[in-house]
């Protein structure tokens, strides 16, 4: 108990329970046992390590994960993803305990849009509606009219009357893609995802020459000059489905490399080449997503810490834009 009290204090500093884990422990078996004992569900994004994806009850993109977080009857939602995703789960199901293995698992897009600065930006365009990518803080959602994910963003923009002006935050690349796709003139916040802005046009061009039959597929968070050369643009689920359905047997994949685990599982005979970043780093791995580990997942389920808390007003005011998004998605069959 003393050990846990110390570790809880440590949470404020490190964001996770910094306790020793017995290296002989079968973590997969232990996590499965904890799921049953505590009626807990593990939700994982495609950008998690393969071993975390393999133990999850549900793996999906931001939209699928939100839908699952809303509909689950588990008592505890363990979010193997990043902070804004766990916050969204808490807003959608505030009576549940929502756990995140590492509270410091953030997001460069969410960080790029501090609510107090966004409020000033929004006040300059009082007659505009605000559409925010779900990759933003819970507080930003309180300043948002409709939320969106990369799966439903086109539907969300198209649901707004043509004569209504729209502010789109925080991803300027997704925003530029939406402008092109819908023909709408959006006012863009200047945010980017640190993973999707790192891909090298030059290296991808060289790869395409070496693999002439490979399809180049990209997430809409990528920069416009990359999207222009893509054979297909889609959310993580969209990209995964494309690789299953398309007849090509080779794909160059421009998104976080974690998704390739599911692509390879679904199509074991196909080849997936991660799009290379500009330098020789592992920058196509999201450093925030990858803060979660199997050890942290186990500790967080065992001790039910760290937990995501939100103030009541944030849940109340932030939820409306997510409900609208889920409603439009349902009507669109997404
Ligand atoms: P989707 O889950 O909507 O594909 O978005 C990817 C992403 O960057 C999540 O952080
Ligand atoms: Fe945020 Fe990009 Fe990481 Fe997704 S991949 S969590 S958008 S930093």
């Amino acid at each position: 108990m003393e050990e846990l009290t110390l570790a809880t204090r440590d949470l404020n500093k490190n964001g996770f329970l910094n306790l020793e884990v017995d290296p002989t422990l079968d973590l997969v078996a232990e996590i499965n046992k904890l799921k049953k004992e505590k009626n807990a569900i593990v939700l994982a994004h495609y950008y998690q390590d393969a071993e975390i994806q393999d133990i999850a009850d549900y793996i999906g993109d931001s939209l699928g994960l939100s839908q699952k977080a809303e509909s689950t009857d588990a008592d505890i939602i363990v979010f193997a993803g990043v902070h804004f995703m766990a916050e969204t789960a808490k807003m959608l199901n505030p009576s549940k305990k929502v756990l995140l293995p590492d509270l410091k698992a953030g997001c460069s897009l969410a960080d790029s849009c501090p609510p107090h600065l966004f409020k000033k930006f929004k006040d300059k365009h009082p007659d505009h509606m605000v559409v925010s990518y779900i990759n933003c803080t819970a507080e930003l959602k309180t300043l948002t009219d409709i939320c969106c994910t990369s799966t439903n963003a086109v539907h969300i923009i198209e649901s707004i009357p043509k004569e209504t002006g729209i502010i789109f935050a925080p991803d300027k690349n997704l925003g530029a893609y939406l402008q092109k796709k819908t023909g709408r003139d959006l006012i863009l916040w200047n945010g980017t995802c640190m993973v999707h802005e790192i891909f090298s046009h030059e290296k991808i061009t060289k790869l395409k020459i070496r693999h002439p039959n490979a399809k180049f597929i990209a997430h809409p968070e990528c920069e416009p000059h990359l999207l222009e050369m893509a054979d297909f643009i889609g959310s993580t689920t969209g990209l995964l489905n494309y690789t299953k359905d398309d007849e090509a047997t080779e794909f160059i994949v421009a998104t976080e490399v974690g998704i390739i685990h599911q692509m390879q599982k679904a199509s074991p005979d196909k080849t997936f080449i991660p799009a290379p970043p500009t330098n020789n780093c592992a920058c196509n791995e999201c450093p925030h997503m990858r803060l979660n580990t199997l050890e942290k997942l186990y500790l967080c389920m065992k001790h039910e810490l760290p937990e995501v808390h939100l103030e009541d007003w944030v849940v109340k005011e932030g939820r409306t834009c997510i409900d609208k998004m889920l409603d439009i998605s349902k009507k669109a069959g997404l």
Side-chain angles (χ1 to χ4, degrees):
M1 214 52 208
E2 172 64 10
E3 188 191 22
L4 188 59
T5 317
L6 284 173
T8 310
R9 237 175 274 152
D10 210 41
L11 265 184
N12 300 329
K13 194 162 60 92
N14 295 318
F16 61 94
L17 282 179
N18 198 6
L19 296 171
E20 290 266 319
V21 178
D22 176 354
T24 63
L25 218 53
D26 178 349
L27 289 178
V28 172
E30 291 299 319
I31 289 170
N32 280 329
K33 212 157 76 188
L34 287 166
K35 280 197 225 172
K36 278 210 190 90
E37 272 170 31
K38 298 181 184 238
N39 188 26
I41 185 170
V42 176
L43 306 182
H45 192 270
Y46 293 124
Y47 296 166
Q48 291 293 285
D49 285 345
E51 57 183 8
I52 294 183
Q53 292 188 38
D54 288 344
I55 200 162
D57 298 292
Y58 177 83
I59 317 157
D61 68 357
S62 305
L63 177 63
L65 289 164
S66 308
Q67 289 165 330
K68 200 73 193 170
E70 187 192 31
S71 64
T72 184
D73 51 17
D75 295 315
I76 300 180
I77 299 171
V78 189
F79 223 109
V82 290
H83 199 265
F84 76 80
M85 295 177 172
E87 279 184 336
T88 305
K90 184 71 184 172
M91 281 192 272
L92 285 168
N93 227 329
S95 64
K96 310 280 181 194
K97 186 175 265 193
V98 176
L99 304 175
L100 182 66
D102 191 322
L103 284 179
K104 294 227 167 122
C107 168
S108 67
L109 270 172
D111 292 346
S112 76
C113 198
H116 69 287
L117 295 182
F118 182 75
K119 171 88 175 58
K120 286 189 187 153
F121 182 74
K122 179 181 162 163
D123 288 346
K124 285 192 194 140
H125 311 280
D127 51 344
H128 283 56
M129 271 183 80
V130 175
V131 176
S132 295
Y133 194 28
I134 200 164
N135 300 34
C136 65
T137 60
E139 205 182 325
L140 202 89
K141 289 184 176 80
T142 68
L143 299 168
T144 297
D145 295 298
I146 316 181
C147 217
C148 74
T149 74
S150 52
T151 289
N152 57 26
V154 170
H155 290 87
I156 302 293
I157 297 294
E158 285 178 344
S159 74
I160 299 168
K162 283 212 164 50
E163 56 283 4
T164 308
I166 302 172
I167 297 174
F168 185 81
D171 187 359
K172 69 171 181 189
N173 291 333
L174 176 60
Y177 168 73
L178 291 170
Q179 280 186 317
K180 209 170 156 193
K181 199 84 187 154
T182 64
R184 299 291 287 267
D185 189 17
L186 311 177
I187 295 179
L188 304 180
W189 181 263
N190 187 18
T192 54
C193 159
M194 62 193 292
V195 178
H196 290 86
E197 68 174 353
I198 206 83
F199 296 116
S200 159
H201 189 279
E202 195 189 325
K203 288 185 188 169
I204 294 167
T205 307
K206 282 186 186 155
L207 262 181
K208 280 183 69 147
I209 295 168
R210 283 217 309 276
H211 300 268
N213 296 323
K215 292 268 177 80
F216 173 57
I217 59 173
H219 194 281
E221 286 174 29
C222 291
E223 293 176 312
H225 65 282
L226 284 185
L227 296 182
E228 261 163 40
M229 64 196 281
D231 295 299
F232 179 75
I233 300 166
S235 64
T236 43
T237 299
L239 296 176
L240 174 60
N241 289 339
Y242 183 80
T243 62
K244 286 184 201 167
D245 300 339
D246 193 76
E247 62 201 12
T249 56
E250 265 188 304
F251 299 89
I252 302 166
V253 184
T255 191
E256 215 271 3
V257 284
I259 185 74
I260 291 182
H261 181 55
Q262 293 305 324
M263 291 177 172
Q264 200 72 75
K265 263 175 124 172
S267 310
D269 298 329
K270 296 188 179 182
T271 304
F272 301 97
I273 308 162
T278 38
N279 40 32
N280 293 325
C281 58
C283 315
N284 52 10
E285 275 189 6
C286 173
H288 305 290
M289 288 275 182
R290 305 301 178 126
L291 282 178
N292 295 325
T293 61
L294 214 53
E295 283 78 12
K296 286 182 193 170
L297 185 66
Y298 161 71
L299 285 171
C300 126
M301 290 182 72
K302 183 164 184 234
H303 301 293
E304 299 183 20
L305 282 170
E307 184 180 352
V308 172
H309 296 283
L310 287 173
E311 289 180 55
D312 290 346
W313 76 270
V314 175
V315 173
K316 201 163 157 271
E317 292 179 31
R319 184 178 169 143
T320 318
C321 70
I322 309 171
D323 282 339
K324 282 190 195 150
M325 171 189 84
L326 292 176
D327 210 41
I328 295 167
S329 304
K330 199 168 170 190
K331 285 185 187 132
L334 298 171

PDB file of all heavy atoms in Angstrom, residues 10-27:
ATOM      1  N   ASP A  10       3.793   9.927  -7.616  1.00  0.00           N
ATOM      2  CA  ASP A  10       4.646   9.927  -8.792  1.00  0.00           C
ATOM      3  C   ASP A  10       3.856  10.220 -10.082  1.00  0.00           C
ATOM      4  O   ASP A  10       4.403  10.722 -11.055  1.00  0.00           O
ATOM      5  CB  ASP A  10       5.222   8.506  -8.900  1.00  0.00           C
ATOM      6  CG  ASP A  10       6.576   8.503  -9.529  1.00  0.00           C
ATOM      7  OD1 ASP A  10       7.365   9.396  -9.205  1.00  0.00           O
ATOM      8  OD2 ASP A  10       6.808   7.610 -10.344  1.00  0.00           O
ATOM      9  N   LEU A  11       2.556   9.867 -10.049  1.00  0.00           N
ATOM     10  CA  LEU A  11       1.694  10.056 -11.220  1.00  0.00           C
ATOM     11  C   LEU A  11       1.729  11.496 -11.710  1.00  0.00           C
ATOM     12  O   LEU A  11       1.758  11.764 -12.902  1.00  0.00           O
ATOM     13  CB  LEU A  11       0.237   9.761 -10.844  1.00  0.00           C
ATOM     14  CG  LEU A  11      -0.328   8.392 -11.095  1.00  0.00           C
ATOM     15  CD1 LEU A  11      -1.793   8.376 -10.732  1.00  0.00           C
ATOM     16  CD2 LEU A  11      -0.156   7.997 -12.540  1.00  0.00           C
ATOM     17  N   ASN A  12       1.727  12.433 -10.742  1.00  0.00           N
ATOM     18  CA  ASN A  12       1.721  13.852 -11.111  1.00  0.00           C
ATOM     19  C   ASN A  12       2.963  14.214 -11.912  1.00  0.00           C
ATOM     20  O   ASN A  12       2.935  15.044 -12.784  1.00  0.00           O
ATOM     21  CB  ASN A  12       1.658  14.723  -9.854  1.00  0.00           C
ATOM     22  CG  ASN A  12       0.412  14.438  -9.071  1.00  0.00           C
ATOM     23  OD1 ASN A  12      -0.602  14.096  -9.654  1.00  0.00           O
ATOM     24  ND2 ASN A  12       0.485  14.544  -7.759  1.00  0.00           N
ATOM     25  N   LYS A  13       4.072  13.550 -11.576  1.00  0.00           N
ATOM     26  CA  LYS A  13       5.339  13.867 -12.236  1.00  0.00           C
ATOM     27  C   LYS A  13       5.483  13.119 -13.577  1.00  0.00           C
ATOM     28  O   LYS A  13       5.752  13.697 -14.609  1.00  0.00           O
ATOM     29  CB  LYS A  13       6.487  13.499 -11.279  1.00  0.00           C
ATOM     30  CG  LYS A  13       7.828  14.078 -11.689  1.00  0.00           C
ATOM     31  CD  LYS A  13       8.823  14.079 -10.550  1.00  0.00           C
ATOM     32  CE  LYS A  13       9.128  12.739 -10.012  1.00  0.00           C
ATOM     33  NZ  LYS A  13      10.088  11.874 -10.333  1.00  0.00           N
ATOM     34  N   ASN A  14       5.269  11.809 -13.546  1.00  0.00           N
ATOM     35  CA  ASN A  14       5.536  10.976 -14.727  1.00  0.00           C
ATOM     36  C   ASN A  14       4.323  10.699 -15.605  1.00  0.00           C
ATOM     37  O   ASN A  14       4.461  10.364 -16.770  1.00  0.00           O
ATOM     38  CB  ASN A  14       6.101   9.613 -14.294  1.00  0.00           C
ATOM     39  CG  ASN A  14       7.455   9.771 -13.643  1.00  0.00           C
ATOM     40  OD1 ASN A  14       8.265  10.536 -14.108  1.00  0.00           O
ATOM     41  ND2 ASN A  14       7.671   9.060 -12.560  1.00  0.00           N
ATOM     42  N   GLY A  15       3.147  10.762 -15.014  1.00  0.00           N
ATOM     43  CA  GLY A  15       1.933  10.472 -15.788  1.00  0.00           C
ATOM     44  C   GLY A  15       1.541   9.003 -15.768  1.00  0.00           C
ATOM     45  O   GLY A  15       0.533   8.627 -16.342  1.00  0.00           O
ATOM     46  N   PHE A  16       2.347   8.159 -15.128  1.00  0.00           N
ATOM     47  CA  PHE A  16       1.982   6.742 -15.070  1.00  0.00           C
ATOM     48  C   PHE A  16       2.439   6.149 -13.728  1.00  0.00           C
ATOM     49  O   PHE A  16       3.224   6.777 -13.012  1.00  0.00           O
ATOM     50  CB  PHE A  16       2.608   5.954 -16.224  1.00  0.00           C
ATOM     51  CG  PHE A  16       4.120   5.978 -16.249  1.00  0.00           C
ATOM     52  CD1 PHE A  16       4.861   4.966 -15.658  1.00  0.00           C
ATOM     53  CD2 PHE A  16       4.802   7.020 -16.861  1.00  0.00           C
ATOM     54  CE1 PHE A  16       6.253   4.981 -15.678  1.00  0.00           C
ATOM     55  CE2 PHE A  16       6.191   7.053 -16.887  1.00  0.00           C
ATOM     56  CZ  PHE A  16       6.917   6.035 -16.295  1.00  0.00           C
ATOM     57  N   LEU A  17       1.952   4.940 -13.423  1.00  0.00           N
ATOM     58  CA  LEU A  17       2.359   4.276 -12.175  1.00  0.00           C
ATOM     59  C   LEU A  17       3.742   3.669 -12.380  1.00  0.00           C
ATOM     60  O   LEU A  17       3.900   2.707 -13.135  1.00  0.00           O
ATOM     61  CB  LEU A  17       1.369   3.162 -11.813  1.00  0.00           C
ATOM     62  CG  LEU A  17       0.059   3.585 -11.176  1.00  0.00           C
ATOM     63  CD1 LEU A  17      -0.806   2.368 -10.913  1.00  0.00           C
ATOM     64  CD2 LEU A  17       0.262   4.379  -9.898  1.00  0.00           C
ATOM     65  N   ASN A  18       4.704   4.237 -11.686  1.00  0.00           N
ATOM     66  CA  ASN A  18       6.087   3.800 -11.891  1.00  0.00           C
ATOM     67  C   ASN A  18       6.435   2.696 -10.885  1.00  0.00           C
ATOM     68  O   ASN A  18       7.273   2.883 -10.019  1.00  0.00           O
ATOM     69  CB  ASN A  18       6.990   5.023 -11.726  1.00  0.00           C
ATOM     70  CG  ASN A  18       8.348   4.792 -12.330  1.00  0.00           C
ATOM     71  OD1 ASN A  18       8.572   3.776 -12.970  1.00  0.00           O
ATOM     72  ND2 ASN A  18       9.257   5.721 -12.113  1.00  0.00           N
ATOM     73  N   LEU A  19       5.761   1.538 -11.004  1.00  0.00           N
ATOM     74  CA  LEU A  19       5.987   0.428 -10.075  1.00  0.00           C
ATOM     75  C   LEU A  19       6.726  -0.704 -10.795  1.00  0.00           C
ATOM     76  O   LEU A  19       6.570  -0.867 -12.007  1.00  0.00           O
ATOM     77  CB  LEU A  19       4.648  -0.122  -9.567  1.00  0.00           C
ATOM     78  CG  LEU A  19       3.782   0.815  -8.727  1.00  0.00           C
ATOM     79  CD1 LEU A  19       2.409   0.186  -8.491  1.00  0.00           C
ATOM     80  CD2 LEU A  19       4.452   1.111  -7.396  1.00  0.00           C
ATOM     81  N   GLU A  20       7.493  -1.453 -10.037  1.00  0.00           N
ATOM     82  CA  GLU A  20       8.196  -2.626 -10.617  1.00  0.00           C
ATOM     83  C   GLU A  20       7.169  -3.672 -11.038  1.00  0.00           C
ATOM     84  O   GLU A  20       6.211  -3.927 -10.307  1.00  0.00           O
ATOM     85  CB  GLU A  20       9.078  -3.267  -9.540  1.00  0.00           C
ATOM     86  CG  GLU A  20      10.284  -2.451  -9.147  1.00  0.00           C
ATOM     87  CD  GLU A  20      11.518  -2.852  -9.930  1.00  0.00           C
ATOM     88  OE1 GLU A  20      11.717  -4.061 -10.126  1.00  0.00           O
ATOM     89  OE2 GLU A  20      12.263  -1.943 -10.338  1.00  0.00           O
ATOM     90  N   VAL A  21       7.381  -4.284 -12.188  1.00  0.00           N
ATOM     91  CA  VAL A  21       6.516  -5.406 -12.588  1.00  0.00           C
ATOM     92  C   VAL A  21       7.384  -6.657 -12.616  1.00  0.00           C
ATOM     93  O   VAL A  21       8.465  -6.651 -13.233  1.00  0.00           O
ATOM     94  CB  VAL A  21       5.894  -5.162 -13.983  1.00  0.00           C
ATOM     95  CG1 VAL A  21       5.043  -6.345 -14.422  1.00  0.00           C
ATOM     96  CG2 VAL A  21       5.042  -3.899 -13.970  1.00  0.00           C
ATOM     97  N   ASP A  22       6.920  -7.706 -11.947  1.00  0.00           N
ATOM     98  CA  ASP A  22       7.654  -8.976 -11.909  1.00  0.00           C
ATOM     99  C   ASP A  22       7.897  -9.447 -13.356  1.00  0.00           C
ATOM    100  O   ASP A  22       6.935  -9.702 -14.101  1.00  0.00           O
ATOM    101  CB  ASP A  22       6.785  -9.983 -11.130  1.00  0.00           C
ATOM    102  CG  ASP A  22       7.400 -11.381 -11.116  1.00  0.00           C
ATOM    103  OD1 ASP A  22       8.434 -11.590 -11.802  1.00  0.00           O
ATOM    104  OD2 ASP A  22       6.828 -12.261 -10.445  1.00  0.00           O
ATOM    105  N   PRO A  23       9.161  -9.552 -13.788  1.00  0.00           N
ATOM    106  CA  PRO A  23       9.428  -9.896 -15.201  1.00  0.00           C
ATOM    107  C   PRO A  23       8.974 -11.301 -15.587  1.00  0.00           C
ATOM    108  O   PRO A  23       8.859 -11.609 -16.780  1.00  0.00           O
ATOM    109  CB  PRO A  23      10.953  -9.761 -15.317  1.00  0.00           C
ATOM    110  CG  PRO A  23      11.488  -9.777 -13.928  1.00  0.00           C
ATOM    111  CD  PRO A  23      10.399  -9.333 -13.012  1.00  0.00           C
ATOM    112  N   THR A  24       8.680 -12.157 -14.596  1.00  0.00           N
ATOM    113  CA  THR A  24       8.239 -13.521 -14.928  1.00  0.00           C
ATOM    114  C   THR A  24       6.715 -13.589 -15.142  1.00  0.00           C
ATOM    115  O   THR A  24       6.180 -14.633 -15.529  1.00  0.00           O
ATOM    116  CB  THR A  24       8.624 -14.524 -13.811  1.00  0.00           C
ATOM    117  OG1 THR A  24       7.931 -14.155 -12.611  1.00  0.00           O
ATOM    118  CG2 THR A  24      10.132 -14.555 -13.577  1.00  0.00           C
ATOM    119  N   LEU A  25       6.049 -12.479 -14.866  1.00  0.00           N
ATOM    120  CA  LEU A  25       4.583 -12.467 -14.971  1.00  0.00           C
ATOM    121  C   LEU A  25       4.135 -12.588 -16.437  1.00  0.00           C
ATOM    122  O   LEU A  25       4.714 -11.948 -17.318  1.00  0.00           O
ATOM    123  CB  LEU A  25       4.100 -11.114 -14.428  1.00  0.00           C
ATOM    124  CG  LEU A  25       2.811 -11.060 -13.615  1.00  0.00           C
ATOM    125  CD1 LEU A  25       2.834 -12.038 -12.457  1.00  0.00           C
ATOM    126  CD2 LEU A  25       2.601  -9.632 -13.107  1.00  0.00           C
ATOM    127  N   ASP A  26       3.104 -13.407 -16.670  1.00  0.00           N
ATOM    128  CA  ASP A  26       2.516 -13.490 -18.012  1.00  0.00           C
ATOM    129  C   ASP A  26       1.509 -12.338 -18.119  1.00  0.00           C
ATOM    130  O   ASP A  26       0.354 -12.456 -17.684  1.00  0.00           O
ATOM    131  CB  ASP A  26       1.834 -14.863 -18.177  1.00  0.00           C
ATOM    132  CG  ASP A  26       1.155 -15.002 -19.529  1.00  0.00           C
ATOM    133  OD1 ASP A  26       1.029 -13.987 -20.245  1.00  0.00           O
ATOM    134  OD2 ASP A  26       0.744 -16.132 -19.862  1.00  0.00           O
ATOM    135  N   LEU A  27       1.956 -11.218 -18.681  1.00  0.00           N
ATOM    136  CA  LEU A  27       1.129 -10.007 -18.661  1.00  0.00           C
ATOM    137  C   LEU A  27      -0.179 -10.171 -19.439  1.00  0.00           C
ATOM    138  O   LEU A  27      -1.212  -9.640 -19.042  1.00  0.00           O
ATOM    139  CB  LEU A  27       1.919  -8.820 -19.214  1.00  0.00           C
ATOM    140  CG  LEU A  27       3.043  -8.303 -18.309  1.00  0.00           C
ATOM    141  CD1 LEU A  27       3.780  -7.158 -18.983  1.00  0.00           C
ATOM    142  CD2 LEU A  27       2.507  -7.843 -16.960  1.00  0.00           C
TER     143      LEU A  27
END
